[in-house]
Amino acid sequence: FPVENIRNFSIIAHVDHGKSTLADRLLEMTGAIAKTERNKQVLDKLQVERERGITVKAQTASLFYMYNGQTYLLNLIDTPGHVDFSYEVSRSISACQGVLLIVDANQGIQAQTVANFYLAFEAQLTIIPVLNKIDLKNADPERVASQIEKVFDIPKEDCIRISAKLGTNVDQVLEEIVKRIPPPVARGDEPFKALVFDSTFDHYRGVVTNIALFGGQVSKGDKIMSAHAGKVYEVNEVGILRPEEQPTDRLYGGQVGYLIAGMKEVKEAQIGDTLFHQKHPVEALPGFKPAKAMVFAGMYPVDQSEYSSLRSAVDRLTLNDSSVTVQRDSSHALGAGWRLGFLGLLHMEVFNQRLEQEYNASVIMTVPTVPYKAVFSSAKLIKGHRGVQKNMVYIDDQRVMMKYLFPLNEVIVDFYDHLKSLSSGYASFDYEDAGYQPADLVKMDILLNGKPVEELAMIVHRDKAYSSGKALCERLKDCIPRQLFEIAVQAAIGSKVMARETIKAYRKNVLAKCYGGDITRKMKLLKKQAEGKKKMRRIGNIEVPKDAFISVLKRK
Ligand code: GTP
């Protein structure tokens, strides 16, 4: 395929502005998928994506498009919009020369529109602004085009106005991709050089890598090597994604596709690695900046006997989501486990859900915390500021963009939900790391019947210690079911108890309603109770539901 006729692009946008819907239309119009109701959001393959209606993984699709009598190969990489998954966006972008920047013509520029724009801008990609949802009654594409001109310095005439839902002007999008985005720079006569920009683990075939070819070509039977692991592999299969895998004889420079080469170990296919022919070593591509974990939590198997199967599940899932960091850890109450780092709370929930759905694993996650650097000294005295305004820009007369410096701990849990409800859904939010700041923090222990539970301990600001302790005890009281004996729930700093709640003794006698002798019914009820207990975790002699560790953090 002539490299001049290849276009590699990705779609970026704020959450819900219509990326996946536009991707569906592009796939339909180029004949990659049939036009049916069933084919909605085809690139959202994961169960968690379908359930939550959000994209968490970037996906790739190759489309063939006829323009001016020539066939073009358009490689589309769909990306997630939520702030927690921006790592996926930056990885996708590295395989592209251009992006479609989708903006909802009703909502206008939002926080992730700005964040994603800069990712593409800094990578020096061609940016095509696309105003979506012009079919909506309240759509105001004129206003949004002016916002784009003002904030991004892109002439408003460059905006394409579409309705991804109805298909209006989507043909223009295809045309403009061909006209405005440059083809990749790659020559077929160079040595083979490819960037691994994604990889998944397949139970039967081992590691499947998604690669972008920066030069040369690769086909079945070739002996290749990876710069990182330094091992030699024979290529078993190459092909393109349409979006289903379609084997081809060869992949050429400039193309995007998949490659299977008998890599059995997750570690062998690092995302960001460079592949080359064994006989023609090349300089490794720069790869990716490692993702920076913002939230940490402990994870343990519900049953210790599941430790090793859980470990391989975590290995495989982190291959597919390399932004998660993993360290071994162990806990007095919960046994052997790991300490995982995530980009945000939604990221952590999605990871947990994928483990359960894709690997059938049952885990306990502990209270998430943000990283701190502790300095032990008698004078830890500098008062930390909790939210300092940095600057403010009026996007137009209806919208303002404000920058604040916040302690990460204040924004990580439910700041976003709170902001949404305060602004009736109008405000949007994005964040980046601003480094460590000194603050007056204390460790708050949670005690169940006098015994501290390390997994529930947290670091809080001294000024908030009393109110957080009280709220936490109240929430734990709601989470922990009554048991045969009374349970005291206390929050303490050192030896000083800040708050206390009591859970009264009680036992649910599941057999109470079973008079007389129906033994099978009795067995059934006891079995059901036992299943309920599986979801519990024994701490000392107290049973704590496994989701208590996270749910205590959320505001009611
Ligand atoms: P994430 O994958 O979660 O980042 O969202 P997304 O940007 O992919 O948005 P998605 O395509 O899921 O669309 C969000 C919602 O907007 C869905 O309910 C779509 O049906 C709706 N939508 C998308 N395009 C249009 C459009 O052109 N007009 C109207 N009226 N609704 C649209």
Side-chain angles (χ1 to χ4, degrees), residues 479-552:
C479 285
I480 300 176
R482 290 178 171 195
Q483 299 177 28
L484 271 176
F485 42 85
E486 191 175 280
I487 303 169
V489 183
Q490 294 168 306
I493 292 172
S495 58
K496 190 168 166 221
V497 174
M498 313 291 286
R500 177 194 163 114
E501 291 287 334
T502 307
I503 302 169
K504 292 221 172 65
Y506 169 73
R507 187 196 160 115
K508 191 170 176 192
N509 182 356
V510 287
L511 302 179
K513 287 202 199 104
C514 271
Y515 319 96
D518 182 352
I519 185 75
T520 52
R521 184 162 158 65
K522 258 189 204 166
M523 294 305 287
K524 220 172 168 175
L525 287 168
L526 285 170
K527 191 163 168 249
K528 223 167 143 189
Q529 195 187 34
E531 264 164 24
K533 279 205 171 150
K534 263 200 197 156
K535 300 205 176 86
M536 302 283 193
R537 185 71 209 184
R538 202 165 256 286
I539 293 183
N541 56 354
I542 301 168
E543 293 193 328
V544 180
K546 72 183 179 85
D547 49 10
F549 298 95
I550 293 185
S551 50
V552 290

Side-chain angles (χ1 to χ4, degrees), residues 13-25 40-41 44 52-56 78-82 102 104 132-136 162-167:
H14 187 75
V15 79
D16 272 351
H17 281 198
K19 285 181 307 293
S20 306
T21 310
L22 177 61
D24 285 351
R25 282 305 89 70
K40 262 180 140 173
Q41 319 242 315
D44 286 345
R52 292 181 183 239
I54 55 165
T55 307
V56 307
D78 187 30
T79 62
H82 192 281
I102 313 292
D104 185 320
N132 187 29
K133 310 199 188 183
I134 56 165
D135 59 295
L136 288 177
I162 69 160
S163 163
K165 191 173 171 183
L166 306 180

Side-chain angles (χ1 to χ4, degrees), residues 193-195 226-228 272-276 281-287:
K193 181 178 194 173
L195 174 74
S226 71
H228 181 85
D273 206 346
T274 307
L275 303 180
F276 52 87
V282 297
E283 202 177 313
L285 293 155

Side-chain angles (χ1 to χ4, degrees), residues 184-197:
V185 189
R187 295 203 338 247
D189 54 1
E190 291 169 347
F192 165 61
K193 181 178 194 173
L195 174 74
V196 177
F197 68 92

